[in-house]
Amino acid sequence: MDAQGRGRADNIDPADQWVLNPNTGEYELRLTPSAPQSSVPGPRRSDSGKTGGGGAARGRTAAPGGGSASSSPEETPEPEVPSPRRRRGAPPEEPAANRRGRRPVKKKSKAKKILLWTGGIMAFVLVGTAGAAYLYLEHLNDNITSVSDDGASTGGFSKDKAINLLVIGTDKRTGSGNEGYGDSGSVGHADTTILLHVSKDRTNATALSIPRDLIVDVPDCQTEQEDGSTKVIKGTDNVRFNTSLGQDDRTPSCTVRTVTELTGIQADNFMVADFNAVKTLTTAVGGVEVCLAKDIDDEDSHLKLSKGTHTIEGEQALAFVRTRHSVGFGGDLSRIELQQQFLSALMRKLKSNDTLTSPTKMIKLAEAGTKALTVDSQLDTIDKLKDLGLELGKLNVKNLTFTTVPVVDNPAEKVAATVVVNTSTAPTVFQMIKDDVSFTEVKEQAAASKNAAAAAAAARLKGTQSAASAVRVQVMNGGAPAGSAQETLNWLQNDEGVTKSENAGNAPAALSRTTLEYAPDQADQARKLAAIMGLPGTALKPGKSVENSQGLPTMTLTLGKDFKGAGVSLTAPTTVPDTVQKSTADKVECAK
């Protein structure tokens, strides 16, 4: 037993004495009055002061505020004993000879403080995201590997906006024991990719899986080189999505650009992990419970499990998420569904009290997570990851929906090997994510408030409508592609009978969304134009009219950045098509 373990029962784990305070959301050290204070792992040191396995640095004990008190390496720390009270009026005692005076208690130092971090840092690494709280120390910064986003992302998430996080799992073999998985010579392709969208109000989230065999156009990608210079890697059309990473020295920023090209959604940040992430994270959490509807014996993935429920971790967990020949139709799409079921199970485990109340598990998760990930340069510190984790940790698993980009078999192939986007349903899925529309029914108060606002907007569309010939409107370009105002004017006049319309040029400022402003006595005209153009109630802005070129009162239609062309409806979808596969993280599903 070491010096700091004296006076403590052998079976007490020091980490288990850190208890979550539900009032503050932070961990506090709870000891009996006679017990010495336990230590917390500190930063790694040079050979002279190095600690092993995350133990405390030799000769240091953790101070209550997260600082430390020095002692000789041979000294045994003694429990502090309260000194006798000084009589009123007596002078302060001088320190005894050859003894230092007691140091004032230090406040939490940034270098040593304990950070409470919800597990969003691991967000979906390869197999999962966490909503649990993690105990973090500054030495974890040394574990983090970051690479440039090359300007492909938005520049980082914001606490007051929706979050789009791209998580990429590569098939690159690193570490021991991974020889049996993936392609032996792989440069690290985008084998498993998930775009995680977290709503602005944090009540819901959508995890969109992107099939590796989806045929896409990979755009040109400006990439920062090791020497600091930049290089433009030429894009290619009609190739598998997984080649957006690794192929031709492409970096994660190229995958980010490809996802933006595909979905119209720009990621705020990205995370990358390889095979080892699955093994280390599942081991750290103590295993994940999965369910099988049938026996699986897959020689390729080395997975052999009987029908029923199993708790898997490490090597077996990696085999589970890599298997595909023994589930569904035996292809990559079936494996995606298996991985989504696994992610749901991992989410439930990380949200459980078994994980939340165990500082030991949290420390292990923190170590495993920071070592397993490569993040973009906007997430290169524990503080930044902590902030992201706190946002992701607000999610309730019942409102996290897993879905996949809707696809169909590639019609150009006689033997189906790749897939292409299903143009009838995929645009709806993409648009719902862009519009921050939940894929599940959210009943929280914040959602109720949002629904009330939506109901008020929808009410503007209800009522009588004027004739098209009575609609008087001026059209302005407020961020739409050049020529959109004239294109819309021609369509309204020639195809829809809105003859009292005119082009008013460019708007004073660009708008993200198309708007129609009108006076109260023009509401019937506004409803008619909204019906013709497919404008949502949110686009209608009761206000005032302006005068047109004839001096007559007219409405103002400003085409925003969301404008898609004359005759294309701007009403956002609110429900997922029935043919789109989806599931929520709170439900237990058995792999078939």
Side-chain angles (χ1 to χ4, degrees):
M1 182 183 298
D2 65 13
Q4 296 196 29
R6 293 178 182 175
R8 183 189 303 125
D10 290 345
N11 61 348
I12 297 179
D13 189 334
D16 287 334
Q17 294 177 313
W18 289 87
V19 181
L20 179 65
N21 185 330
N23 297 322
T24 64
E26 296 189 359
Y27 278 86
E28 299 175 355
L29 186 61
R30 303 282 177 86
L31 297 176
T32 58
S34 62
Q37 183 167 320
S38 64
S39 62
V40 176
R44 294 181 179 177
R45 304 182 181 279
S46 60
D47 291 342
S48 60
K50 187 179 297 184
T51 64
R58 183 176 299 174
R60 302 179 71 88
T61 58
S68 61
S70 299
S71 65
S72 168
E74 290 77 25
E75 288 180 348
T76 299
E78 295 291 337
E80 291 189 4
V81 178
S83 56
R85 291 186 177 180
R86 180 166 51 88
R87 288 180 299 171
R88 182 177 301 173
E93 287 186 1
E94 292 293 329
N98 299 323
R99 289 187 60 185
R100 298 179 182 176
R102 179 175 296 176
R103 295 181 180 178
V105 176
K106 293 183 179 180
K107 294 184 178 181
K108 291 184 180 181
S109 88
K110 184 175 181 181
K112 306 286 185 182
K113 69 180 179 181
I114 296 173
L115 297 175
L116 180 67
W117 176 43
T118 55
I121 173 179
M122 278 164 286
F124 278 100
V125 187
L126 175 59
V127 295
T129 184
Y134 291 90
L135 193 64
Y136 264 87
L137 302 175
E138 285 296 329
H139 81 278
L140 294 178
N141 277 317
D142 296 335
N143 291 346
I144 301 172
T145 301
S146 65
V147 295
S148 175
D149 74 343
D150 299 312
S153 70
T154 64
F157 77 95
S158 297
K159 294 182 180 180
D160 58 347
K161 296 180 180 178
I163 298 173
N164 291 304
L165 177 66
L166 189 67
V167 184
I168 309 166
T170 77
D171 59 357
K172 190 172 184 177
R173 297 178 178 181
T174 60
S176 61
N178 296 325
E179 295 79 8
Y181 303 101
D183 299 327
S184 58
S186 176
V187 293
H189 293 123
D191 195 49
T192 300
T193 306
I194 295 177
L195 177 63
L196 174 64
H197 171 85
V198 184
S199 67
K200 180 179 178 179
D201 61 13
R202 307 296 187 255
T203 63
N204 64 91
T206 302
L208 179 68
S209 294
I210 304 175
R212 67 173 191 179
D213 296 327
L214 175 64
I215 296 299
V216 297
D217 294 338
V218 177
D220 293 346
C221 180
Q222 179 174 298
T223 305
E224 181 178 313
Q225 304 297 298
E226 291 184 1
D227 60 3
S229 63
T230 58
K231 173 185 177 182
V232 176
I233 300 175
K234 191 68 176 175
T236 52
D237 294 342
N238 296 315
V239 293
R240 277 180 166 88
F241 173 83
N242 67 345
T243 62
S244 64
L245 178 65
Q247 198 79 13
D248 300 325
D249 297 325
R250 293 186 179 116
T251 64
S253 66
C254 297
T255 304
V256 172
R257 294 183 196 276
T258 304
V259 170
T260 302
E261 183 92 358
L262 170 67
T263 66
I265 302 166
Q266 187 176 20
D268 300 306
N269 298 99
F270 65 75
M271 296 179 177
V272 186
D274 56 29
F275 290 158
N276 282 327
V278 184
K279 298 197 291 188
T280 58
L281 292 175
T282 53
T283 299
V285 80
V288 174
E289 188 176 273
V290 297
C291 179
L292 299 177
K294 63 180 181 180
D295 296 343
I296 289 183
D297 188 358
D298 190 343
E299 294 181 357
D300 292 325
S301 68
H302 315 300
L303 179 67
K304 186 174 183 178
L305 288 174
S306 60
K307 175 182 177 180
T309 301
H310 301 269
T311 298
I312 58 176
E313 64 178 82
E315 192 75 29
Q316 196 174 41
L318 177 58
F320 185 87
V321 298
R322 291 293 302 169
T323 192
R324 60 182 174 130
H325 297 301
S326 299
V327 293
F329 296 105
D332 187 53
L333 295 178
S334 297
R335 179 167 62 180
I336 286 176
E337 291 187 26
L338 184 75
Q339 291 172 345
Q340 292 174 349
Q341 293 166 16
F342 183 84
L343 287 170
S344 297
L346 181 57
M347 277 286 293
R348 294 190 296 271
K349 180 64 177 286
L350 290 167
K351 282 281 191 179
S352 68
N353 289 333
D354 180 53
T355 302
L356 287 172
T357 58
S358 172
T360 302
K361 285 186 178 180
M362 292 180 181
I363 290 173
K364 291 178 180 179
L365 282 165
E367 292 285 353
T370 50
K371 290 177 181 178
L373 295 174
T374 296
V375 299
D376 68 80
S377 50
Q378 306 297 327
L379 291 176
D380 59 355
T381 67
I382 288 296
D383 279 343
K384 294 176 182 177
L385 288 168
K386 179 246 324 179
D387 288 341
L388 174 61
L390 288 171
E391 295 303 308
L392 299 180
K394 297 173 183 178
L395 288 173
N396 188 318
V397 293
K398 70 179 182 180
N399 296 327
L400 169 58
T401 303
F402 290 94
T403 189
T404 304
V405 174
V407 296
V408 295
D409 289 337
N410 189 347
E413 298 173 338
K414 293 182 178 180
V415 178
T418 61
V419 292
V420 296
V421 168
N422 185 333
T423 56
S424 66
T425 53
T428 299
V429 171
F430 300 155
Q431 192 64 47
M432 287 181 65
I433 294 175
K434 284 192 285 186
D435 291 339
D436 202 21
V437 177
S438 175
F439 280 45
T440 59
E441 182 180 356
V442 182
K443 296 181 180 179
E444 279 80 356
Q445 183 175 356
S449 175
K450 180 190 291 187
N451 292 337
R460 297 174 195 146
L461 299 174
K462 297 178 180 179
T464 59
Q465 299 180 9
S466 69
S469 59
V471 173
R472 189 179 290 110
V473 62
Q474 65 174 14
V475 184
M476 304 183 76
N477 192 326
S484 293
Q486 188 60 45
E487 176 192 1
T488 301
L489 182 66
N490 294 339
W491 173 71
L492 287 174
Q493 291 181 344
N494 300 328
D495 297 349
E496 300 299 329
V498 184
T499 54
K500 296 177 182 178
S501 52
E502 62 182 32
N503 188 341
N506 292 327
L511 301 178
S512 60
R513 296 183 181 277
T514 297
T515 62
L516 175 62
E517 185 175 2
Y518 57 96
D521 61 351
Q522 295 172 317
D524 58 342
Q525 295 182 46
R527 286 190 286 266
K528 180 61 177 179
L529 188 60
I532 292 173
M533 295 193 62
L535 298 178
T538 52
L540 273 60
K541 304 296 181 184
K544 60 182 180 180
S545 63
V546 296
E547 291 186 354
N548 64 8
S549 57
Q550 286 81 38
L552 299 173
T554 184
M555 301 184 297
T556 301
L557 174 66
T558 306
L559 306 178
K561 295 179 181 178
D562 63 336
F563 182 74
K564 301 178 178 64
V568 180
S569 175
L570 289 176
T571 300
T574 57
T575 57
V576 184
D578 293 337
T579 56
V580 174
Q581 167 268 331
K582 65 171 184 171
S583 62
T584 51
D586 62 318
K587 293 182 173 61
V588 178
E589 296 190 27
C590 296
K592 300 177 181 180

